Amino acid sequence: MASTAETIEQPREEDASAVVVRFAGDSGDGMQLTGGQFTLSTALEGNDLATFPDFPAEIRAPQGTLFGVSAFQINFGSRTIRTAGDAPDVLVAMNPAALKTNLPDLVPGGMVIADSGAFTDRNLSKAGYEENPLEDGSLEGYQLLSIDMSAMTLEAVKPFGLGNKEALRSKNMWTLGLALWMFDRKRAPIHDWLKTKFAKKPEIAEANIAALDAGHAYGETAELGYAFQPRKVAAAPAEPGLYRTVTGAEAISMGLVAGAQLAGLPMFFGGYPITPASAILHHLSRWKQFGVTTFQAEDEIAAIGAAIGASYAGSLGVTSSSGPGIALKGEAMGLALVTELPLVIVNSQRGGPSTGLPTKTEQSDLYQAVYGRNGDAPMPVIAVRSPSDAFDCAIEACRLAVQFMTPVMLLTDGYIANAAEPWKVPDLGGYSPFPVAFHETAPGEGEKFNPYARDDKLARPWVKPGTPGLMHRIGGIEKSSSTGNIDYSAQNHQEMTRLRSEKVLGVADHIPEQDIALGDASDTLAVVGWGSTYGPIHQAVNRMRAKGRSVAQLHVRHVWPLPKNLGDLLRGFDKVIVPEMNNGQFKTVLRDQYLVDAKPLNKVSGQPFRIGEIEAAIEEALDG
Amino acid sequence: MNEMTPVKTTLKDWESDQEVRWCPGCGDYAILKAVQRTMPDLGVTPENTVFISGIGCSSRFPYYMETYGFHTIHGRAPTIATGVKLANPELDVWLITGDGDGLSIGGNHMLHLLRRNLDCQVLLFNNEIYGLTKGQYSPTSRVGTRSPSTPFGSVDRPVSPCAFALGAGARFVARGIDVNKNLSATLKEAHAHKGTSFIEIFQNCIVYNEDVFEPFAAKKTADDTQVWTVHGEPLLFAKGEKGLALDTDKLELKVVDVADGDWEAAGVVVHDQTNRGLAQMLVQMPFGDFPVALGTLYCDPAPTFDSAVGEQNSAASVGKDHDLQALIGQGQTWTVE
């Protein structure tokens, strides 16, 4: 979140300025919805926040099973929040499986709120419990609040005459009501949201409202003891302005629309459903009034093929997918690259290889983005660091695509795509337009148009079919640099390969130099990251600096080509570590480019880094 | 482009300055000339015309047309064409593909192009062989085709391009022969049809599959081996002495003799190009017992994909706020003073 001053995070036990809550239940229990609405009420209170939705790949995994548990974690506070939090202070467990899978993460002495009504013999045995943990004393080290939420929900919605199954669907709202009471939140915005969501089924809206109010009333009336008294988390300091919550997928979608507008072009988006990238297709398909045409293609290749065709015809072509789909698009990316047409390719990375972990996050497509095409096929690559950063990165990808006549890869990941954070709504008037000038001048008598003539950025002219006097042919076969006709000659291929490489490397002259996010160039250790690891790295470096350690943070947005000053910056540090949610890909790029002894810190568990893991690596690097 | 005022062009206006490089005697030369000769009759301009191809011998075609051209990647021409046409529906889009490009590696895209009914012309050059990669059998090769990859003969059964197209929901299906003078008339009908116009052109590969179509394509025997379909005319061949009638027991066509020109007495079917069932029977007639059906076999226009997308884009924009600043600032917001 945009705030003027950095606040140093204090150790948790003394720190009442931030709370981490995790809602966990069966995948059919509506935990993502509960979390989403709790997020909204948190944002409306003016707290800074970060969230982490974590759900199974199955739409409805078998009820009550360990692998069917869906969780939503939120970290909120009265200070700057950069991660969804390492360990929850409060765990809401809607069934035994949710308790079993999430309890190990809870802070010692943390709070457990459990639905005792769901701790049936059947559910206990599915979760592998021999005894009921709510009753056998095994939760002694925690503050346990065991409530039969199922029964209370049924009682609350009784007047609406719903069936048992239907009525229990409101259980998540009862839970949310209790959570709203616990953190002293207003119910009205959730009431409004329920009325809008169930506008066509008013009885369902009323039942949910009744459940929400009942959960809230339970907190007020039941004497729950000191530990469970409502606590007010004060608003976080923030720059004045209009704010909203935004997920990465929303921000990328809006940024792409803004980018096309700044270029003065209609946008064409070709997509094929894939987790976790589909949300971008969903958002854009609703925004036709902004000159957006969306096309759900028959496959990933058709999605990029149509986007290339649209760019060829004068639109800004965009396609989006996740790792497996990006692999399928590889040959077509080469076509866009060799025909030098603008194109934005968004990769919402997930755990790989192959199908991998569709709903879990990873940063393991960096090699694929930078190197993953046949031939010498360079392409600019930009990495998004957070949901709110996604808007600017999408605009930047559009700018490079049209100014350099090149495909551009925009890397985001499952975590950023789904996570929400407060976003200060930018003033679009503050962005410099980069209008496209199509080439429309026909060659003079006796002259011929060369589609591979180049400007000062080495970009070729963009000619829309339909323009008189400029008919020409392009294609994937190597073309002569001087005529645009097919040319297999050795000398020409050498020259065209050089031109394609130099054009993309030249992007470095038109991007900002690398900055130092925390610390300065005289520090001993640099922690270098890219993408969604920004939050945990930032907090870890922040805490270590507060302890007087000589450590700096560098976070790279332009992954290819790299900022011109990055090599000199890195060589100025004694030590460099690179935390990544992969097996060491950016580390290898940095070593290759700069011959620096960058050390990896790798995590491929499908979960984001914890701040503590990076703190430990910093200590080890400095002391080791 | 069909609504525009006809523009006067000549054959020369459609010839690019590139040297044509197919094998001497290749059927592609005849198809290229037929297309270049037909273009002036369509009343369209070279600058509004786009030829898009995949990979294969036939896919070199765009380089020889003085129009906009895009030589894309193997099998994917329908995808690029879809983007081109959706981005600018004013363009006149032609697809050049082959049996391998369009029905093997690109078979899926062809299916979806046809079912969506994007307004374009598809010229599928069928030579029943992979030419550019030096002669392997293709998805249209007959069982037993000996090739470098099937030295003992191919064992998989071929696909019938026109039956595939009809199955995919194509609204225009035609057949032609590379060197036959009727090709130009078929191209004109294809261009006049709004939607995906699918034309299978039997094309002789002189190097790897010479004369594979000769049994029915040879001029000498054409009267007996070819039936040219004309909407509203009886399905006659062999100089009117034979015709195609409906075998109502088997629900398929049968060859009947026509005595003294009285085709009605013989029960010869009158070609109705809007009859999908008849088209299906025509494309599936096994050659040998039957002649090969050629010309426009099926033409029954339906709304095109590009027009449907354009109409929905317009309708969905009516009454909406076009202010992007308003969009990004919407939803549940709060203000920090």
Side-chain angles (χ1 to χ4, degrees):
Chain A
M1 182 168 182
S3 79
T4 43
E6 294 297 341
T7 24
I8 305 297
E9 187 162 297
Q10 299 300 314
R12 182 162 306 285
E13 50 270 25
E14 298 157 26
D15 178 13
S17 63
V19 183
V20 179
V21 180
R22 185 182 295 179
F23 298 94
D26 216 39
S27 54
D29 276 342
M31 290 298 97
Q32 301 304 322
L33 215 61
T34 308
Q37 290 308 303
F38 189 75
T39 301
L40 182 68
S41 80
T42 304
L44 291 175
E45 287 299 316
N47 295 144
D48 198 3
L49 65 90
T51 70
F52 178 51
D54 185 19
F55 40 85
E58 294 78 12
I59 300 295
R60 287 277 184 277
Q63 269 192 348
T65 55
L66 295 173
F67 60 87
V69 172
S70 173
F72 186 101
Q73 182 162 313
I74 177 169
N75 182 9
F76 59 99
S78 56
R79 54 166 177 78
T80 302
I81 300 290
R82 297 212 185 263
T83 76
D86 280 5
D89 303 296
V90 180
L91 170 65
V92 179
M94 302 302 283
N95 68 5
L99 181 70
K100 182 138 196 179
T101 50
N102 289 285
L103 191 67
D105 293 339
L106 197 62
V107 297
M111 185 186 297
V112 176
I113 303 173
D115 174 15
S116 60
F119 281 65
T120 59
D121 289 346
R122 193 176 148 78
N123 281 345
L124 286 165
S125 112
K126 276 190 200 169
Y129 280 117
E130 283 175 13
E131 298 289 328
N132 187 342
L134 304 181
E135 294 164 0
D136 68 0
S138 61
L139 294 175
E140 245 169 27
Y142 303 96
Q143 305 164 54
L144 174 66
L145 182 57
S146 168
I147 314 167
D148 191 344
M149 300 183 200
S150 302
M152 294 212 178
T153 302
L154 288 176
E155 186 64 28
V157 304
K158 211 182 228 171
F160 304 96
L162 305 174
N164 199 53
K165 202 174 161 192
E166 190 88 335
L168 276 177
R169 289 222 177 104
S170 303
K171 198 167 74 169
N172 61 336
M173 287 298 120
W174 195 98
T175 315
L176 180 60
L178 181 66
L180 292 181
W181 166 78
M182 193 166 278
F183 295 99
D184 196 22
R185 300 287 170 68
K186 296 176 191 71
R187 279 170 289 156
I190 315 293
H191 288 173
D192 292 345
W193 171 78
L194 283 167
K195 282 176 194 158
T196 311
K197 182 171 171 69
F198 296 110
K200 287 181 183 152
K201 294 177 181 168
E203 72 283 1
I204 302 286
E206 289 306 320
N208 276 297
I209 288 171
L212 182 91
D213 289 349
H216 192 269
Y218 177 85
E220 277 186 339
T221 52
E223 292 178 358
L224 295 177
Y226 174 76
F228 301 100
Q229 286 316 297
R231 43 178 123 170
K232 179 86 178 171
V233 176
E239 275 178 45
L242 179 69
Y243 284 80
R244 59 171 285 179
T245 56
V246 76
T247 64
E250 278 177 310
I252 280 193
S253 306
M254 293 188 288
L256 289 169
V257 176
Q261 288 199 351
L262 291 166
L265 298 174
M267 192 222 288
F268 180 95
F269 182 91
Y272 182 78
I274 183 169
T275 302
S278 301
I280 297 173
L281 171 62
H282 301 168
H283 287 302
L284 289 170
S285 63
R286 292 165 54 227
W287 297 339
K288 303 192 192 303
Q289 70 270 28
F290 297 110
V292 177
T293 295
T294 55
F295 171 56
Q296 182 179 315
E298 59 269 26
D299 64 21
E300 297 284 1
I301 299 169
I304 187 172
I308 292 170
S311 280
Y312 173 60
S315 290
L316 177 58
V318 181
T319 189
S320 146
S321 189
S322 189
I326 298 293
L328 286 167
K329 294 179 198 287
E331 186 190 12
M333 277 190 253
L335 179 69
L337 191 148
V338 84
T339 54
E340 302 189 41
L341 287 167
L343 180 72
V344 176
I345 305 135
V346 185
N347 180 357
S348 300
Q349 299 167 92
R350 67 190 211 188
S354 188
T355 303
L357 310 168
T359 60
K360 307 294 179 194
T361 199
E362 211 163 273
Q363 297 181 297
S364 46
D365 297 345
L366 184 89
Y367 286 162
Q368 186 189 40
V370 177
Y371 306 122
R373 290 161 294 280
N374 64 304
D376 285 303
M379 177 189 296
V381 179
I382 297 172
V384 174
R385 69 165 61 155
S386 69
S388 58
D389 183 51
F391 184 78
D392 287 354
C393 285
I395 292 176
E396 179 72 343
C398 296
R399 179 182 75 87
L400 294 183
V402 299
Q403 289 189 338
F404 288 85
M405 293 292 284
T406 178
V408 176
M409 176 82 74
L410 182 58
L411 289 176
T412 174
D413 62 36
Y415 173 63
I416 295 175
N418 292 312
E421 67 179 18
W423 182 43
K424 182 165 183 276
V425 177
D427 174 10
L428 293 178
Y431 291 86
S432 303
F434 39 88
V436 167
F438 289 101
H439 182 71
E440 291 173 342
T441 319
E445 194 64 33
E447 291 173 356
K448 287 201 168 158
F449 170 63
N450 174 14
Y452 288 94
R454 292 180 191 274
D455 68 8
D456 57 345
K457 292 189 174 78
L458 296 180
R460 75 172 190 91
W462 194 359
V463 180
K464 277 196 278 194
T467 311
L470 287 170
M471 286 80 75
H472 65 282
R473 275 63 59 189
I474 58 172
I477 282 191
E478 186 66 284
K479 298 295 187 294
S480 158
S481 63
S482 55
T483 65
N485 294 327
I486 293 178
D487 190 342
Y488 296 145
S489 73
Q491 192 188 0
N492 180 69
H493 182 56
Q494 187 87 41
E495 173 67 359
M496 286 299 266
T497 303
R498 182 189 68 81
L499 282 165
R500 286 187 287 265
S501 168
E502 280 193 12
K503 179 176 84 166
V504 171
L505 290 176
V507 167
D509 293 328
H510 299 267
I511 57 173
E513 293 213 327
Q514 182 61 46
D515 62 356
I516 302 178
L518 277 177
D520 56 65
S522 63
D523 281 313
T524 307
L525 170 68
V527 185
V528 184
W530 63 281
S532 72
T533 51
Y534 177 80
I537 295 175
H538 195 81
Q539 294 292 52
V541 171
N542 208 8
R543 288 185 192 176
M544 286 292 121
R545 290 183 62 79
K547 290 182 183 170
R549 308 309 302 257
S550 179
V551 55
Q553 179 192 18
L554 277 71
H555 210 76
V556 180
R557 170 185 280 187
H558 287 274
V559 165
W560 197 266
L562 292 159
K564 282 194 295 184
N565 62 328
L566 182 61
D568 285 343
L569 263 180
L570 292 181
R571 282 186 281 262
F573 292 95
D574 294 346
K575 292 176 177 180
V576 174
I577 58 172
V578 185
E580 292 178 271
M581 294 185 289
N582 61 43
N583 231 357
Q585 301 187 8
F586 193 49
K587 173 267 301 172
T588 304
V589 173
L590 294 177
R591 292 175 77 111
D592 168 57
Q593 292 295 305
Y594 304 124
L595 291 175
V596 292
D597 186 16
K599 294 273 200 296
L601 173 61
N602 305 131
K603 181 171 184 178
V604 283
S605 64
Q607 303 287 329
F609 274 105
R610 291 162 192 268
I611 300 164
E613 291 166 343
I614 297 172
E615 284 179 296
I618 291 171
E619 287 195 321
E620 194 188 318
L622 286 172
D623 302 336
Chain B
M1 283 293 77
N2 303 346
E3 284 89 25
M4 282 186 64
T5 327
V7 182
K8 274 206 182 328
T9 57
T10 65
L11 169 68
K12 285 273 166 229
D13 292 324
W14 298 90
E15 292 175 343
S16 80
D17 61 356
Q18 298 298 292
E19 184 193 348
V20 184
R21 290 197 194 175
W22 286 307
C23 307
C26 175
D28 289 359
Y29 283 95
I31 302 171
L32 176 63
K33 268 288 169 265
V35 172
Q36 287 171 334
R37 246 188 239 119
T38 306
M39 297 308 287
D41 295 340
L42 303 179
V44 295
T45 62
E47 66 261 26
N48 268 318
T49 304
V50 186
F51 275 82
I52 300 171
S53 62
I55 293 291
C57 292
S58 62
S59 288
R60 292 297 185 95
F61 198 98
Y63 292 117
Y64 309 132
M65 296 294 297
E66 185 53 20
T67 64
Y68 283 93
F70 201 158
H71 179 207
T72 71
I73 44 179
H74 206 10
R76 318 304 172 195
T79 75
I80 277 92
T82 300
V84 168
K85 189 71 181 177
L86 291 181
N88 184 359
E90 298 298 311
L91 296 172
D92 195 8
V93 176
W94 297 72
L95 242 93
I96 306 294
T97 184
D99 41 313
D101 188 62
L103 292 170
S104 197
I105 193 167
N108 186 38
H109 304 306
M110 188 62 73
L111 161 72
H112 294 281
L113 182 80
L114 292 166
R115 76 167 170 88
R116 291 190 185 112
N117 201 30
L118 186 88
D119 187 18
C120 63
Q121 293 71 243
V122 178
L123 276 55
L124 186 141
F125 295 21
N126 182 9
N127 57 13
E128 296 191 2
I129 209 80
Y130 282 94
L132 197 62
T133 51
K134 299 191 172 33
Q136 299 84 355
Y137 84 116
S138 91
T140 55
S141 298
R142 291 158 217 187
V143 173
T145 298
R146 287 179 188 272
S147 78
S149 58
T150 50
F152 307 108
S154 61
V155 295
D156 42 340
R157 300 201 303 146
V159 62
S160 156
C162 288
F164 169 82
L166 284 166
R171 310 300 301 197
F172 181 101
V173 175
R175 264 188 192 151
I177 297 173
D178 48 9
V179 294
N180 193 293
K181 62 178 170 31
N182 291 352
L183 183 57
S184 184
T186 305
L187 291 171
K188 281 180 214 169
E189 289 174 6
H191 186 261
H193 167 256
K194 281 272 199 186
T196 310
S197 303
F198 181 88
I199 312 166
E200 176 190 13
I201 303 171
F202 297 111
Q203 175 249 320
N204 188 36
C205 174
I206 195 159
V207 174
Y208 295 108
N209 216 10
E210 192 177 8
D211 292 341
V212 70
F213 303 118
E214 200 59 7
F216 67 82
K219 279 190 186 139
K220 259 196 284 184
T221 51
D223 285 341
D224 295 325
T225 57
Q226 300 173 5
V227 55
W228 287 86
T229 61
V230 180
H231 185 57
E233 299 286 330
L235 293 165
L236 294 169
F237 63 106
K239 296 195 165 128
E241 289 175 4
K242 286 182 179 179
L244 297 172
L246 188 64
D247 181 335
T248 50
D249 291 336
K250 292 183 178 169
L251 273 182
E252 59 185 34
L253 293 171
K254 61 182 178 184
V255 174
V256 291
D257 292 321
V258 178
D260 306 325
D262 191 354
W263 56 267
E264 282 176 284
V268 173
V269 174
V270 173
H271 184 53
D272 174 2
Q273 66 182 18
T274 68
N275 186 330
R276 177 173 286 267
L278 178 59
Q280 257 151 0
M281 287 190 270
L282 285 169
V283 302
Q284 278 165 345
M285 293 187 303
F287 177 69
D289 300 337
F290 288 89
V292 167
L294 296 156
T296 299
L297 307 173
Y298 180 65
C299 177
D300 186 19
T304 65
F305 182 55
D306 36 304
S307 62
V309 168
E311 282 161 23
Q312 190 180 64
N313 279 354
S314 305
S317 302
V318 173
K320 293 268 175 68
D321 192 342
H322 292 231
D323 179 8
L324 184 59
Q325 185 73 53
L327 175 80
I328 67 173
Q330 78 182 14
Q332 299 262 7
T333 58
W334 67 97
T335 303
V336 175
E337 302 292 341

